[in-house]
Amino acid sequence: MLHTVNKSSFERNSLQSCLNIIDDTSVILLIEDGVISAANNANSSMLAELATQGRVYALQGDVEARGISSKVADNIKLVDYAGFVDLVVEHGTAVSWV
Amino acid sequence: MLHTVNKSSFERNSLQSCLNIIDDTSVILLIEDGVISAANNANSSMLAELATQGRVYALQGDVEARGISSKVADNIKLVDYAGFVDLVVEHGTAVSWV
Amino acid sequence: MKISIQINEGPYQHQASDTAYQFAKAAIDKGHEIFRVFFYHDGVNNASRFTLPPQDDRNVVNQWAELGIKNADGEPELVVCIAAALRRGMLDESEASKNGIDGNNIHPAFRISGLGQLIEAGIQSDRLVVFGD
Amino acid sequence: MKISIQINEGPYQHQASDTAYQFAKAAIDKGHEIFRVFFYHDGVNNASRFTLPPQDDRNVVNQWAELGIKNADGEPELVVCIAAALRRGMLDESEASKNGIDGNNIHPAFRISGLGQLIEAGIQSDRLVVFGD
Amino acid sequence: MAIKKFMYLNRKASYGTVYAIESLEVVLIAAAFEQDVSLAFVDDGVYQIVEGQNTDGIGMKNFSKTYHALGDYDINKLYVSAESLEERGLTEADLMPLVYEDEDDDWAEKPSIKVVSNADLTKIMSEQDVCLSF
Amino acid sequence: MAIKKFMYLNRKASYGTVYAIESLEVVLIAAAFEQDVSLAFVDDGVYQIVEGQNTDGIGMKNFSKTYHALGDYDINKLYVSAESLEERGLTEADLMPLVYEDEDDDWAEKPSIKVVSNADLTKIMSEQDVCLSF
């Protein structure tokens, strides 16, 4: 599955809720204000663990819009909208943590 | 001052942000989904402390709508919309943590 | 006391406009003056005269209209921000014809004006209360 | 692949509709089919033909219209939920005249229909992606 | 037409925002399509089905009774996160007693609500074909 | 007309929602009214004034340059929560170098941004007559 999270983990609980329920094979894509959680200092060790496993993506356009490109953790993969489409195609059911 | 908080502290950080900045004389009114934070189990010891000082109010209509009347901490004062108006009049500047 | 209100969200999606309405009604009942209600952001959508809620639900737009909030000259003091309104497709007759659009949807109990009206409400009123998401 | 989209928020206030548009465009560019875009909740406000954003900003409504998402019969597959639309003052000609309203604001690239169209999109499509607040 | 597994993911309380009621409207329509329907109540979504809601004081429609109709439409898989309940000081006894009649068991009345752990919910979610979030 | 103290409370990042840009539009209009204007950037609101925003990839207008105009309108009290910055791994060096020319000091260029503790912000807020939240 592909889980999308579109809000900052500082503001809302949606990333945490996603992490509480995500299974061992699914991936997470951070979009919109969700990319704030991709910055180095984002406060979830579980997200960091998933990133180490190569299972965390972030929308590059949203990262750049917020001026935090240099802050994104190295093992979070940046994708453009075409990459977003590929993730939807490859990972089956899409779950939005809106 | 009167600080209004309209979102659940489980969902958003607005109550915590308010608590970070509230001064020693201001009061808090919980409205809309903010009343969820008035339930016994609401997770902020600082809110409990302010409630002990008689400085926390919740909108009764919103509490009843969510079916949590029996869960509200004893020292949180319930007010109706007329009471909301009185709080605005009595406490000077109103700050909304939307 | 003179009280003004800022509303940041549209009807139905968020409780903001409902709460603001109940607050305004209670304030008027207690003898206070609602100097102005300023609709900003999606709040401008509260002014649509096209709104058709189900029979068993409240009509948020008509509730505001029925409060009849006006100034001494009889002008409505339910004020819709013009920039936010145009962006979201809320037009009065004048804006529609100026922009060549064959229709308009602002309820006559509301009027379109600039953001200065919000600042002025803050200056002229004893209190300004914000309702949002 | 057949992909459908659900949009829960209106234009400008939230990025949801912008992101969904960029996603839809990229999917089409990659040769996928956008089976349907279903506008629900405040998402119905994306269909307003009255929208007049500033010159230097994008026009969210026109962007959707220009994608030209249609079915084999040439009907638009930008579908606006009727119940959510009426509640929020989004009317096509037929709903307006049925309810005695002297105007309508749905852009012709969109059509109003029931919630069944969302379920059907879920059934008929390989993927359904939700964009919201 | 193939039957798909649809999950409706509810994470927000009623009344503060419209999502709860408009989600319920979709679910009722969905019943006519004879798909496999599950509802998940997670986070503040659990407040949607708390017993004793009374909206007289806020001038909004109390639609909570409508959840009782779900059983009549054969929608009887309402999964509630145990962790979300507990975090909020709620128990199953605080929820509406939602039931359905089981046609495979001589129409016996059975509870529709299943309080499940997040681990169970993970498994249930991973089996879904479509997830509608509100 | 009496001068009032207006605070604009910004708690949300730009682009994800409209509040940042529409708040900035109010502030620019407010300048004409010659009131005492302060802006507070708290929580994710601090991202509004991060340097190097580039919206080419998302098809939205980059309005971040407009914050530079505030100084020209004598709006030069931009209070940024030190705790909010720190929690996000940001420092003042990550923010745009917003400045104004001090007419009382021979038009010397001075920084408009003041990074303050929450305790300072408490005091500043308690002095306000009007608080606009977005």
Side-chain angles (χ1 to χ4, degrees):
Chain A
M1 302 186 119
L2 169 69
H3 296 265
T4 54
V5 175
N6 76 330
K7 294 293 174 186
S8 156
S9 56
F10 294 109
E11 189 201 345
R12 301 217 197 171
N13 68 344
S14 52
L15 176 61
Q16 189 53 54
S17 299
C18 168
L19 292 169
N20 286 344
I21 289 182
I22 192 169
D23 65 21
D24 293 340
T25 59
S26 296
V27 301
I28 295 181
L29 171 63
L30 304 169
I31 68 172
E32 301 177 355
D33 286 345
V35 300
I36 288 170
S37 309
N40 281 319
N41 226 51
N43 45 6
S44 165
S45 59
M46 194 175 158
L47 186 72
E49 171 58 27
L50 290 180
T52 305
Q53 299 169 20
R55 292 164 59 196
V56 182
Y57 298 81
L59 258 185
Q60 184 159 10
D62 282 320
V63 168
E64 289 172 357
R66 284 149 190 89
I68 55 173
S69 298
S70 66
K71 309 275 177 191
V72 172
D74 284 341
N75 45 21
I76 291 182
K77 302 175 199 167
L78 297 180
V79 293
D80 59 10
Y81 291 101
F84 185 176
V85 173
D86 291 340
L87 288 171
V88 166
V89 170
E90 288 159 20
H91 288 279
T93 310
V95 179
S96 296
W97 293 86
V98 289
Chain B
M1 300 186 121
L2 170 68
H3 295 266
T4 55
V5 175
N6 75 330
K7 294 292 174 187
S8 155
S9 55
F10 294 108
E11 190 201 345
R12 301 218 197 170
N13 68 344
S14 53
L15 176 60
Q16 189 53 53
S17 300
C18 168
L19 292 170
N20 287 343
I21 290 182
I22 192 170
D23 66 20
D24 294 340
T25 58
S26 296
V27 301
I28 295 181
L29 171 64
L30 303 169
I31 67 172
E32 302 176 354
D33 286 345
V35 300
I36 289 171
S37 310
N40 280 319
N41 227 50
N43 45 6
S44 164
S45 60
M46 195 175 157
L47 187 71
E49 171 58 26
L50 290 181
T52 305
Q53 299 170 19
R55 291 165 57 196
V56 182
Y57 299 81
L59 257 185
Q60 183 159 11
D62 282 319
V63 168
E64 289 172 357
R66 285 149 188 88
I68 55 173
S69 298
S70 66
K71 310 275 178 190
V72 173
D74 284 342
N75 45 22
I76 290 181
K77 302 175 199 167
L78 297 180
V79 295
D80 59 9
Y81 292 99
F84 185 175
V85 173
D86 290 341
L87 287 172
V88 166
V89 169
E90 288 160 20
H91 289 279
T93 309
V95 178
S96 296
W97 294 85
V98 290
Chain C
M1 206 172 241
K2 269 192 202 177
I3 302 175
S4 284
I5 291 171
Q6 174 189 327
I7 300 180
N8 293 344
E9 304 295 333
Y12 303 107
Q13 187 94 341
H14 299 89
Q15 200 182 344
S17 182
D18 289 287
T19 306
Y21 163 75
Q22 298 290 349
F23 174 84
K25 194 156 69 89
I28 293 166
D29 287 348
K30 289 185 80 84
H32 297 293
E33 175 194 351
I34 299 294
F35 177 77
R36 181 169 294 155
V37 184
F38 192 84
F39 296 89
Y40 195 35
H41 309 288
D42 265 5
V44 300
N45 293 325
N46 286 291
S48 173
R49 65 182 178 85
F50 287 1
T51 313
L52 293 165
Q55 293 290 342
D56 62 346
D57 204 353
R58 79 267 185 222
N59 186 316
V60 176
V61 179
N62 286 354
Q63 282 180 341
W64 279 115
E66 284 157 17
L67 277 188
I69 295 170
K70 296 189 176 99
N71 64 21
D73 298 332
E75 270 193 312
E77 286 295 351
L78 302 174
V79 179
V80 176
C81 170
I82 185 164
L86 295 185
R87 201 172 274 169
R88 290 170 180 80
M90 296 297 305
L91 306 176
D92 63 8
E93 227 178 302
S94 148
E95 288 303 323
S97 75
K98 201 183 299 177
N99 292 282
I101 305 257
D102 68 330
N104 59 75
N105 54 350
I106 298 275
H107 190 290
F110 297 74
R111 70 180 162 90
I112 283 189
S113 192
L115 277 168
Q117 298 268 309
L118 172 59
I119 314 296
E120 199 201 46
I123 296 171
Q124 299 285 347
S125 307
D126 299 300
R127 300 283 185 275
L128 185 125
V129 187
V130 181
F131 295 87
D133 176 38
Chain D
M1 205 172 241
K2 268 191 203 177
I3 301 174
S4 284
I5 290 172
Q6 173 189 325
I7 300 180
N8 294 343
E9 302 295 334
Y12 304 105
Q13 187 94 340
H14 299 89
Q15 201 183 342
S17 183
D18 289 287
T19 306
Y21 164 76
Q22 298 289 351
F23 174 84
K25 195 156 68 88
I28 293 166
D29 287 347
K30 289 184 81 80
H32 298 293
E33 176 195 349
I34 299 293
F35 177 77
R36 183 169 291 154
V37 184
F38 192 84
F39 295 89
Y40 195 36
H41 309 288
D42 266 5
V44 301
N45 294 327
N46 286 290
S48 174
R49 66 182 177 85
F50 289 1
T51 314
L52 293 165
Q55 294 289 342
D56 63 346
D57 203 353
R58 81 268 185 219
N59 185 317
V60 176
V61 179
N62 287 354
Q63 282 180 341
W64 279 114
E66 284 158 16
L67 278 188
I69 296 171
K70 296 188 174 100
N71 64 20
D73 298 332
E75 269 192 314
E77 287 293 352
L78 302 175
V79 179
V80 176
C81 170
I82 185 164
L86 293 185
R87 202 173 273 166
R88 290 170 179 82
M90 295 298 304
L91 306 175
D92 63 8
E93 225 177 305
S94 149
E95 288 303 324
S97 75
K98 201 184 298 176
N99 291 283
I101 304 256
D102 68 329
N104 58 77
N105 53 350
I106 298 275
H107 191 289
F110 297 74
R111 70 182 161 88
I112 284 191
S113 190
L115 276 169
Q117 298 268 308
L118 172 60
I119 313 297
E120 203 202 44
I123 295 171
Q124 301 285 348
S125 308
D126 300 300
R127 299 285 185 275
L128 185 125
V129 187
V130 180
F131 295 88
D133 176 38
Chain E
M1 206 191 286
I3 288 183
K4 282 192 175 181
K5 287 167 106 61
F6 275 69
M7 170 166 279
Y8 295 82
L9 179 56
N10 300 292
R11 295 182 49 249
K12 289 166 186 158
S14 299
Y15 312 115
T17 50
V18 82
Y19 307 104
I21 183 171
E22 289 191 337
S23 166
L24 189 54
E25 286 174 5
V26 182
V27 171
L28 290 168
I29 298 285
F33 285 79
E34 303 195 337
Q35 303 292 305
D36 182 318
V37 172
S38 297
L39 277 63
F41 296 90
V42 182
D43 300 327
D44 284 345
V46 300
Y47 287 108
Q48 293 182 19
I49 51 173
V50 162
E51 176 79 332
Q53 300 174 34
N54 176 350
T55 61
D56 291 350
I58 57 170
M60 294 171 77
K61 191 167 79 170
N62 182 352
F63 59 94
S64 62
K65 296 274 183 291
T66 312
Y67 290 96
H68 286 285
L70 292 174
D72 303 334
Y73 289 94
D74 287 330
I75 294 168
N76 49 39
K77 290 185 284 189
L78 277 62
Y79 299 106
V80 180
S81 160
E83 286 87 343
S84 295
L85 282 179
E86 194 191 344
E87 197 184 3
R88 286 159 185 78
L90 299 171
T91 69
E92 192 167 352
D94 291 310
L95 305 180
M96 293 188 271
L98 303 178
V99 295
Y100 72 105
E101 294 176 348
D102 186 350
E103 89 180 282
D104 298 331
D105 188 8
D106 199 21
W107 306 99
E109 198 174 83
K110 297 186 176 178
S112 300
I113 290 179
K114 289 144 190 76
V115 176
V116 295
S117 67
N118 282 345
D120 290 336
L121 210 48
T122 301
K123 192 167 169 301
I124 293 160
M125 187 174 269
S126 68
E127 294 162 353
Q128 303 299 318
D129 298 306
V130 181
C131 180
L132 299 182
S133 309
F134 298 96
Chain F
M1 208 190 288
I3 290 184
K4 281 192 175 182
K5 286 167 108 60
F6 276 69
M7 168 166 280
Y8 295 82
L9 179 57
N10 299 292
R11 296 183 47 250
K12 289 165 189 159
S14 298
Y15 312 115
T17 50
V18 81
Y19 307 104
I21 183 172
E22 289 191 337
S23 166
L24 188 55
E25 286 174 8
V26 181
V27 171
L28 289 169
I29 298 285
F33 285 79
E34 304 196 336
Q35 303 292 304
D36 180 320
V37 172
S38 298
L39 277 61
F41 296 89
V42 182
D43 298 327
D44 284 346
V46 299
Y47 287 108
Q48 293 181 20
I49 51 173
V50 162
E51 175 80 333
Q53 300 173 36
N54 177 350
T55 61
D56 291 349
I58 57 170
M60 294 171 77
K61 191 168 79 171
N62 183 351
F63 59 93
S64 62
K65 298 271 184 293
T66 312
Y67 290 97
H68 286 284
L70 292 174
D72 303 334
Y73 289 93
D74 287 331
I75 293 168
N76 49 37
K77 289 184 282 190
L78 277 61
Y79 298 105
V80 180
S81 160
E83 286 87 343
S84 296
L85 281 180
E86 195 191 344
E87 197 186 4
R88 286 159 184 79
L90 298 172
T91 68
E92 191 166 354
D94 292 309
L95 305 180
M96 293 188 272
L98 304 177
V99 296
Y100 71 103
E101 295 176 347
D102 187 349
E103 95 180 278
D104 298 332
D105 189 8
D106 199 21
W107 305 99
E109 199 175 79
K110 298 186 175 177
S112 299
I113 291 179
K114 290 145 190 74
V115 176
V116 296
S117 67
N118 281 345
D120 289 337
L121 210 49
T122 301
K123 192 168 169 300
I124 293 160
M125 186 175 271
S126 70
E127 293 163 355
Q128 304 299 318
D129 297 307
V130 180
C131 180
L132 299 183
S133 309
F134 299 96

